[in-house]
Amino acid sequence: MREEIDVFHDLRRRLCSGEFAYGTKLRAEALRKDYDCAASTVRENLLRLSELGLVDFQEQRGFRMPEYAPERQHDITATRIMLESEAACRAMRQGGVEWEAQLSAAHHKLSHIESRMSARGMTEELLRLWSAAELEFHQTLLSACGSPLLMELHLIVYYRYRQVNIEADRALTDLAENIEEHKNILDAALTGDEDLMRRRIYEHFKRHLVLGESAQTTTLVSLAG
Amino acid sequence: MREEIDVFHDLRRRLCSGEFAYGTKLRAEALRKDYDCAASTVRENLLRLSELGLVDFQEQRGFRMPEYAPERQHDITATRIMLESEAACRAMRQGGVEWEAQLSAAHHKLSHIESRMSARGMTEELLRLWSAAELEFHQTLLSACGSPLLMELHLIVYYRYRQVNIEADRALTDLAENIEEHKNILDAALTGDEDLMRRRIYEHFKRHLVLGESAQTTTLVSLAG
DNA sequence: TTTATGGTAAATCACGAAATTATAAGAAAT
DNA sequence: ATTTCTTATAATTTCGTGATTTACCATAAA
């Protein structure tokens, strides 16, 4: 890799792409070659990413890809469900026809890519397109919620979610269900039924809730209440 | 200031203390003198703080204290109400006697400091003690929620809340109400009534919801549902 | 086999100088 | 008078290095 790649965004992408195994040491001195820049530039960006929870940082001990932990996966997923439900429901209240149209458009693009994936299998290029389209769909879903901060927090959690569910994305095991779930979320949005939206969002993410009953109950309760 | 002050934590404190007016430029070259370190060390920490939203950063244009905006204050406050309500209610479900005891203890310490403030007025030292005690009280309130990520997000919002409400803290206008409100939150926690807790939390923060009815309705609705 | 100890290699951190870029001020042109 | 260009100054970002700290591994002691 040469010439003017934004280190921050590219590192964030790689951290969520499965390129680094959990717990891998991230050496600024090694990564600099990928970007043709100084080690301290890489260090700066690793520090920023550590503030977002995508990199583990310990003083005098450098940077690491976070270790995998099922409780972490569960926590991230449950938190994403909460934020996304809350924001989506607010968007349903406040967003008008314009929002519905944008969401339709975003779903159409996403759906197109997912069909391709299901037909001709996965490539690096296709995964990248899908990542962008999937993020755009979910961000559009929340875009009319009226709270920039809520969307900012969602984005923080979104990347952590991607990072901790890397395998799930690469294996196309659940692709068919995924397509269906995105469609169901779109439908709920057009219906205007908030409880339905909450259920659909929960259905979309629940396979990554890996902990036992008692912990899941928390989510279910807050879904009911 | 000399000798081994943690730049990150001290800068965060100062950013939330009212030392810098909104929009003030933050020059690494100037701040270095306060910590007796190199400008690039300050820069690293300003970058990290910008990732948390406490500093505005634009490439090639340096760092600034964020501009004040009423919508921002409202958004931050509303988001804090949402996160704190959600986490506090989960804590009520999961936290047992141990949690109640810890919360009592934290409230007692906070209450002691608030009494002093109300009797003898404010000093720099007292403000610092109050800051720590108030944070500890609110963190203890959420500590049994079972979600480290939710608490992490709360902490991000907490510091932004402090930053955007600096004046309110320094002026002791609402001190009496504040004392009462903290007490009310503690009582709600011991009662175990989740709806009551949500109302008490809302009462505690509502004075910083500066926008008109329609925006506030959002919060009220999610409080009812 | 386990636990200490020491030495070596490697990585991290802080630093200030060098290069790049923005900003401001003044001159020329419309 | 207003705009555009030019130049000078200031601020920001990048970079390579030296000093410090940590990790690793081999060897010795328990």
Side-chain angles (χ1 to χ4, degrees):
Chain A
M1 286 192 204
R2 299 284 131 158
E3 289 154 42
E4 295 189 34
I5 294 179
D6 184 52
V7 182
F8 181 82
H9 292 102
D10 193 63
L11 272 177
R12 183 172 63 182
R13 182 189 60 74
R14 293 170 76 187
L15 286 164
C16 299
S17 79
E19 176 174 342
F20 309 112
Y22 298 118
T24 304
K25 209 149 196 318
L26 302 167
R27 272 178 262 273
E29 192 60 43
L31 290 167
R32 65 178 292 191
K33 278 142 196 159
D34 299 335
Y35 302 103
D36 200 22
C37 72
S40 45
T41 303
V42 175
R43 178 186 155 81
E44 260 183 9
N45 286 289
L46 286 173
L47 269 172
R48 293 171 65 189
L49 289 162
S50 78
E51 222 56 53
L52 299 176
L54 296 175
V55 169
D56 265 11
F57 169 67
Q58 280 186 291
E59 219 166 284
Q60 304 292 357
R61 293 196 180 191
F63 303 93
R64 287 178 176 280
M65 176 88 171
E67 291 290 348
Y68 175 79
E71 318 87 55
R72 207 175 108 88
Q73 178 180 338
H74 185 94
D75 188 17
I76 290 169
T77 303
T79 304
R80 181 165 175 196
I81 291 173
M82 185 199 73
L83 293 180
E84 193 139 346
S85 300
E86 181 65 27
C89 288
R90 289 196 206 173
M92 286 171 74
R93 281 181 227 131
Q94 300 182 214
V97 193
E98 181 59 33
W99 172 69
E100 293 177 7
Q102 287 170 355
L103 189 62
S104 266
H107 178 266
H108 187 264
K109 281 196 272 183
L110 175 59
S111 170
H112 185 258
I113 293 167
E114 284 176 333
S115 300
R116 287 203 149 203
M117 277 167 54
S118 133
R120 306 182 206 171
M122 178 70 92
T123 63
E124 274 297 319
E125 172 67 4
L126 213 50
L127 181 67
R128 215 176 283 204
L129 283 173
W130 179 82
S131 289
E134 212 253 356
L135 174 56
E136 193 187 332
F137 175 72
H138 284 283
Q139 285 194 316
T140 306
L141 179 66
L142 316 184
S143 62
C145 76
S147 171
L149 178 52
L150 185 48
M151 293 197 66
E152 204 180 316
L153 297 180
H154 173 269
L155 194 63
I156 293 176
V157 177
Y158 173 86
Y159 284 111
R160 293 205 204 184
Y161 174 89
R162 297 293 305 276
Q163 184 180 53
V164 86
N165 291 309
I166 292 168
E167 314 116 58
D169 282 353
R170 295 192 87 85
L172 293 177
T173 330
D174 313 307
L175 183 56
E177 289 98 322
N178 232 280
I179 293 176
E180 187 68 18
E181 287 155 17
H182 282 141
K183 178 72 166 59
N184 288 341
I185 289 173
L186 172 65
D187 290 344
L190 301 179
T191 303
D193 182 338
E194 291 189 24
D195 282 339
L196 181 63
M197 174 61 85
R198 290 194 128 88
R199 284 196 298 277
R200 293 277 164 89
I201 287 175
Y202 175 75
E203 289 293 322
H204 185 41
F205 296 118
K206 71 169 183 210
R207 75 174 66 90
H208 298 297
L209 293 172
V210 292
L211 260 49
E213 251 185 54
S214 69
Q216 287 206 25
T217 304
T218 301
T219 306
L220 286 165
V221 166
S222 82
L223 197 146
Chain B
M1 286 192 202
R2 299 283 130 159
E3 290 155 42
E4 297 190 32
I5 293 179
D6 185 50
V7 182
F8 180 82
H9 291 103
D10 193 63
L11 272 177
R12 183 173 63 184
R13 182 189 60 74
R14 294 170 76 187
L15 286 164
C16 300
S17 79
E19 176 173 342
F20 309 111
Y22 299 117
T24 304
K25 212 149 195 314
L26 303 168
R27 272 179 259 272
E29 193 60 43
L31 291 166
R32 66 178 291 190
K33 277 141 197 159
D34 299 335
Y35 302 103
D36 200 22
C37 72
S40 45
T41 303
V42 175
R43 178 186 156 80
E44 261 183 8
N45 287 289
L46 286 172
L47 271 172
R48 292 172 64 190
L49 289 162
S50 77
E51 222 57 53
L52 300 176
L54 295 175
V55 168
D56 265 12
F57 169 68
Q58 280 185 291
E59 220 165 282
Q60 306 290 359
R61 295 194 178 190
F63 304 92
R64 285 179 178 280
M65 176 88 172
E67 291 291 348
Y68 175 80
E71 319 88 52
R72 206 176 110 88
Q73 177 180 339
H74 185 93
D75 188 17
I76 290 169
T77 303
T79 305
R80 181 165 176 196
I81 291 173
M82 185 199 73
L83 293 180
E84 192 138 345
S85 300
E86 181 65 28
C89 288
R90 288 196 206 174
M92 287 170 74
R93 282 180 225 129
Q94 300 180 215
V97 193
E98 181 59 30
W99 172 68
E100 293 177 7
Q102 286 171 355
L103 189 63
S104 264
H107 178 265
H108 187 263
K109 281 195 274 183
L110 174 59
S111 171
H112 186 258
I113 292 166
E114 284 177 332
S115 300
R116 288 204 147 200
M117 278 167 54
S118 134
R120 306 183 206 171
M122 178 71 92
T123 63
E124 276 296 321
E125 172 67 5
L126 212 49
L127 181 67
R128 214 175 281 203
L129 283 173
W130 179 83
S131 287
E134 212 252 358
L135 174 55
E136 193 187 331
F137 175 73
H138 284 283
Q139 284 194 316
T140 305
L141 179 66
L142 317 184
S143 62
C145 76
S147 171
L149 179 52
L150 186 48
M151 293 197 64
E152 203 181 317
L153 296 180
H154 173 267
L155 194 63
I156 292 175
V157 176
Y158 173 85
Y159 283 111
R160 294 204 202 182
Y161 175 89
R162 295 295 303 278
Q163 185 180 53
V164 86
N165 290 310
I166 292 168
E167 313 115 60
D169 282 353
R170 295 191 87 85
L172 292 177
T173 330
D174 313 306
L175 184 56
E177 290 97 323
N178 233 280
I179 293 176
E180 187 68 18
E181 288 155 16
H182 283 141
K183 177 71 165 60
N184 288 341
I185 289 173
L186 171 66
D187 290 344
L190 300 179
T191 304
D193 183 338
E194 292 188 23
D195 282 340
L196 181 63
M197 175 62 85
R198 291 194 126 88
R199 284 196 298 276
R200 294 278 163 87
I201 287 175
Y202 175 75
E203 289 294 322
H204 185 41
F205 296 119
K206 73 170 182 209
R207 74 174 65 90
H208 297 298
L209 292 172
V210 292
L211 260 49
E213 252 187 53
S214 69
Q216 286 206 26
T217 304
T218 302
T219 307
L220 287 166
V221 166
S222 83
L223 197 146

